[in-house]
Short mmCIF file of all heavy atoms in Angstrom, two decimals:
data_model
loop_
_atom_site.label_atom_id
_atom_site.label_comp_id
_atom_site.label_asym_id
_atom_site.label_seq_id
_atom_site.Cartn_x
_atom_site.Cartn_y
_atom_site.Cartn_z
N ALA A 1 -218.18 -70.80 35.38
CA ALA A 1 -217.08 -70.06 36.00
C ALA A 1 -215.88 -70.00 35.06
O ALA A 1 -215.27 -68.93 34.90
CB ALA A 1 -216.69 -70.73 37.32
N ARG A 2 -215.55 -71.10 34.43
CA ARG A 2 -214.41 -71.12 33.51
C ARG A 2 -214.65 -70.19 32.31
O ARG A 2 -213.74 -69.48 31.88
CB ARG A 2 -214.13 -72.54 33.06
CG ARG A 2 -213.53 -73.37 34.17
CD ARG A 2 -213.31 -74.80 33.77
NE ARG A 2 -212.68 -75.52 34.89
CZ ARG A 2 -212.70 -76.82 35.01
NH1 ARG A 2 -213.28 -77.59 34.11
NH2 ARG A 2 -212.10 -77.39 36.06
N THR A 3 -215.87 -70.19 31.80
CA THR A 3 -216.20 -69.31 30.68
C THR A 3 -216.08 -67.84 31.09
O THR A 3 -215.48 -67.02 30.37
CB THR A 3 -217.62 -69.60 30.17
OG1 THR A 3 -217.68 -70.96 29.73
CG2 THR A 3 -218.00 -68.68 29.03
N LEU A 4 -216.64 -67.51 32.24
CA LEU A 4 -216.58 -66.13 32.72
C LEU A 4 -215.15 -65.69 33.00
O LEU A 4 -214.78 -64.54 32.71
CB LEU A 4 -217.43 -65.96 33.98
CG LEU A 4 -218.92 -65.82 33.76
CD1 LEU A 4 -219.65 -65.88 35.09
CD2 LEU A 4 -219.23 -64.52 33.04
N ARG A 5 -214.36 -66.58 33.59
CA ARG A 5 -212.97 -66.22 33.89
C ARG A 5 -212.17 -65.94 32.63
O ARG A 5 -211.25 -65.13 32.62
CB ARG A 5 -212.28 -67.31 34.71
CG ARG A 5 -212.67 -67.33 36.15
CD ARG A 5 -211.81 -68.27 36.99
NE ARG A 5 -211.73 -69.64 36.51
CZ ARG A 5 -210.68 -70.17 35.86
NH1 ARG A 5 -209.63 -69.44 35.60
NH2 ARG A 5 -210.69 -71.43 35.47
N ALA A 6 -212.53 -66.61 31.55
CA ALA A 6 -211.82 -66.44 30.28
C ALA A 6 -212.24 -65.18 29.54
O ALA A 6 -211.59 -64.78 28.59
CB ALA A 6 -212.04 -67.66 29.40
N THR A 7 -213.32 -64.55 29.99
CA THR A 7 -213.83 -63.35 29.35
C THR A 7 -213.18 -62.12 29.97
O THR A 7 -213.15 -61.98 31.20
CB THR A 7 -215.37 -63.27 29.52
OG1 THR A 7 -215.94 -64.48 29.03
CG2 THR A 7 -215.93 -62.08 28.79
N ASP A 8 -212.68 -61.25 29.13
CA ASP A 8 -212.06 -60.02 29.62
C ASP A 8 -213.10 -59.11 30.26
O ASP A 8 -214.26 -59.08 29.83
CB ASP A 8 -211.37 -59.25 28.49
CG ASP A 8 -210.13 -59.98 27.98
OD1 ASP A 8 -209.51 -60.73 28.75
OD2 ASP A 8 -209.80 -59.79 26.80
N LEU A 9 -212.67 -58.35 31.24
CA LEU A 9 -213.53 -57.37 31.89
C LEU A 9 -213.78 -56.22 30.92
O LEU A 9 -212.83 -55.59 30.45
CB LEU A 9 -212.86 -56.85 33.16
CG LEU A 9 -213.63 -55.82 33.98
CD1 LEU A 9 -214.86 -56.48 34.61
CD2 LEU A 9 -212.73 -55.23 35.06
N PRO A 10 -215.04 -55.95 30.59
CA PRO A 10 -215.32 -54.81 29.70
C PRO A 10 -214.88 -53.50 30.36
O PRO A 10 -215.16 -53.28 31.54
CB PRO A 10 -216.84 -54.84 29.53
CG PRO A 10 -217.29 -56.17 30.00
CD PRO A 10 -216.26 -56.64 30.98
N THR A 11 -214.21 -52.68 29.63
CA THR A 11 -213.74 -51.41 30.19
C THR A 11 -214.27 -50.21 29.42
O THR A 11 -213.92 -49.08 29.73
CB THR A 11 -212.20 -51.36 30.20
OG1 THR A 11 -211.73 -51.58 28.87
CG2 THR A 11 -211.62 -52.40 31.14
N THR A 12 -215.12 -50.47 28.41
CA THR A 12 -215.61 -49.37 27.59
C THR A 12 -216.69 -48.56 28.30
O THR A 12 -216.77 -47.35 28.12
CB THR A 12 -216.17 -49.90 26.26
OG1 THR A 12 -217.15 -50.90 26.54
CG2 THR A 12 -215.06 -50.48 25.40
N ALA A 13 -217.53 -49.23 29.08
CA ALA A 13 -218.60 -48.53 29.78
C ALA A 13 -218.76 -49.15 31.17
O ALA A 13 -218.75 -50.37 31.31
CB ALA A 13 -219.91 -48.63 29.00
N HIS A 14 -218.91 -48.30 32.17
CA HIS A 14 -219.02 -48.81 33.53
C HIS A 14 -220.21 -49.75 33.72
O HIS A 14 -220.06 -50.76 34.42
CB HIS A 14 -219.04 -47.66 34.54
CG HIS A 14 -218.91 -48.11 35.96
ND1 HIS A 14 -217.82 -48.83 36.42
CD2 HIS A 14 -219.74 -47.96 37.03
CE1 HIS A 14 -217.99 -49.11 37.70
NE2 HIS A 14 -219.14 -48.58 38.10
N PRO A 15 -221.37 -49.50 33.12
CA PRO A 15 -222.48 -50.45 33.30
C PRO A 15 -222.13 -51.86 32.80
O PRO A 15 -222.51 -52.85 33.41
CB PRO A 15 -223.63 -49.84 32.49
CG PRO A 15 -223.34 -48.37 32.50
CD PRO A 15 -221.84 -48.28 32.44
N ALA A 16 -221.38 -51.96 31.69
CA ALA A 16 -220.97 -53.28 31.18
C ALA A 16 -219.97 -53.93 32.14
O ALA A 16 -220.00 -55.15 32.36
CB ALA A 16 -220.36 -53.14 29.80
N THR A 17 -219.11 -53.12 32.72
CA THR A 17 -218.14 -53.63 33.69
C THR A 17 -218.86 -54.19 34.91
O THR A 17 -218.57 -55.29 35.37
CB THR A 17 -217.17 -52.50 34.12
OG1 THR A 17 -216.51 -51.99 32.97
CG2 THR A 17 -216.15 -52.99 35.12
N VAL A 18 -219.81 -53.43 35.43
CA VAL A 18 -220.57 -53.87 36.60
C VAL A 18 -221.37 -55.13 36.29
O VAL A 18 -221.43 -56.06 37.11
CB VAL A 18 -221.50 -52.73 37.12
CG1 VAL A 18 -222.44 -53.24 38.20
CG2 VAL A 18 -220.66 -51.57 37.64
N ALA A 19 -221.95 -55.19 35.10
CA ALA A 19 -222.72 -56.38 34.71
C ALA A 19 -221.82 -57.62 34.70
O ALA A 19 -222.22 -58.68 35.18
CB ALA A 19 -223.36 -56.17 33.34
N HIS A 20 -220.61 -57.48 34.19
CA HIS A 20 -219.68 -58.62 34.17
C HIS A 20 -219.27 -59.01 35.60
O HIS A 20 -219.24 -60.19 35.93
CB HIS A 20 -218.44 -58.30 33.33
CG HIS A 20 -217.51 -59.45 33.18
ND1 HIS A 20 -217.80 -60.54 32.39
CD2 HIS A 20 -216.31 -59.70 33.75
CE1 HIS A 20 -216.80 -61.41 32.47
NE2 HIS A 20 -215.89 -60.92 33.29
N LEU A 21 -218.99 -58.01 36.42
CA LEU A 21 -218.64 -58.28 37.82
C LEU A 21 -219.78 -59.03 38.52
O LEU A 21 -219.54 -59.98 39.28
CB LEU A 21 -218.34 -56.98 38.58
CG LEU A 21 -217.03 -56.28 38.25
CD1 LEU A 21 -216.98 -54.93 38.94
CD2 LEU A 21 -215.84 -57.14 38.65
N ARG A 22 -221.00 -58.61 38.25
CA ARG A 22 -222.15 -59.26 38.87
C ARG A 22 -222.31 -60.70 38.38
O ARG A 22 -222.68 -61.58 39.16
CB ARG A 22 -223.42 -58.44 38.65
CG ARG A 22 -223.36 -57.16 39.46
CD ARG A 22 -224.70 -56.54 39.70
NE ARG A 22 -224.54 -55.49 40.70
CZ ARG A 22 -224.98 -54.26 40.55
NH1 ARG A 22 -225.65 -53.92 39.48
NH2 ARG A 22 -224.79 -53.36 41.50
N ARG A 23 -222.04 -60.95 37.11
CA ARG A 23 -222.10 -62.34 36.63
C ARG A 23 -221.05 -63.19 37.34
O ARG A 23 -221.33 -64.32 37.75
CB ARG A 23 -221.90 -62.38 35.11
CG ARG A 23 -223.13 -61.97 34.33
CD ARG A 23 -223.00 -62.26 32.84
NE ARG A 23 -221.99 -61.43 32.19
CZ ARG A 23 -222.20 -60.21 31.72
NH1 ARG A 23 -223.40 -59.66 31.83
NH2 ARG A 23 -221.23 -59.55 31.13
N LEU A 24 -219.84 -62.65 37.50
CA LEU A 24 -218.80 -63.37 38.24
C LEU A 24 -219.26 -63.66 39.68
O LEU A 24 -219.11 -64.78 40.18
CB LEU A 24 -217.50 -62.55 38.29
CG LEU A 24 -216.68 -62.43 37.01
CD1 LEU A 24 -215.63 -61.33 37.16
CD2 LEU A 24 -216.02 -63.76 36.67
N ALA A 25 -219.84 -62.65 40.32
CA ALA A 25 -220.27 -62.78 41.71
C ALA A 25 -221.42 -63.78 41.86
O ALA A 25 -221.44 -64.58 42.80
CB ALA A 25 -220.67 -61.42 42.27
N VAL A 26 -222.37 -63.73 40.94
CA VAL A 26 -223.53 -64.63 41.02
C VAL A 26 -223.09 -66.08 40.86
O VAL A 26 -223.54 -66.96 41.60
CB VAL A 26 -224.60 -64.22 39.97
CG1 VAL A 26 -225.62 -65.32 39.77
CG2 VAL A 26 -225.27 -62.93 40.39
N VAL A 27 -222.19 -66.34 39.93
CA VAL A 27 -221.71 -67.72 39.75
C VAL A 27 -220.88 -68.16 40.96
O VAL A 27 -221.02 -69.29 41.43
CB VAL A 27 -220.91 -67.86 38.43
CG1 VAL A 27 -220.23 -69.22 38.34
CG2 VAL A 27 -221.84 -67.66 37.24
N ALA A 28 -220.05 -67.26 41.49
CA ALA A 28 -219.27 -67.60 42.69
C ALA A 28 -220.20 -67.92 43.86
O ALA A 28 -219.99 -68.91 44.58
CB ALA A 28 -218.33 -66.45 43.05
N GLU A 29 -221.23 -67.11 44.03
CA GLU A 29 -222.18 -67.35 45.12
C GLU A 29 -222.92 -68.67 44.94
O GLU A 29 -223.05 -69.47 45.87
CB GLU A 29 -223.18 -66.20 45.22
CG GLU A 29 -224.17 -66.35 46.36
CD GLU A 29 -225.13 -65.18 46.44
OE1 GLU A 29 -225.59 -64.69 45.39
OE2 GLU A 29 -225.44 -64.77 47.57
#
């Protein structure tokens, strides 16, 4: 969680953004 929180949200491509959001969500869950 700490590693993911320290990583910026990718904004170059929506698929990369969604992938990062899903990693955040999976670890939170």
Side-chain angles (χ1 to χ4, degrees):
R2 288 177 178 160
T3 300
L4 281 171
R5 283 189 306 103
T7 305
D8 291 333
L9 180 69
T11 56
T12 54
H14 190 59
T17 302
V18 171
H20 185 73
L21 287 173
R22 290 201 169 129
R23 283 191 293 275
L24 288 167
V26 165
V27 171
E29 182 179 40

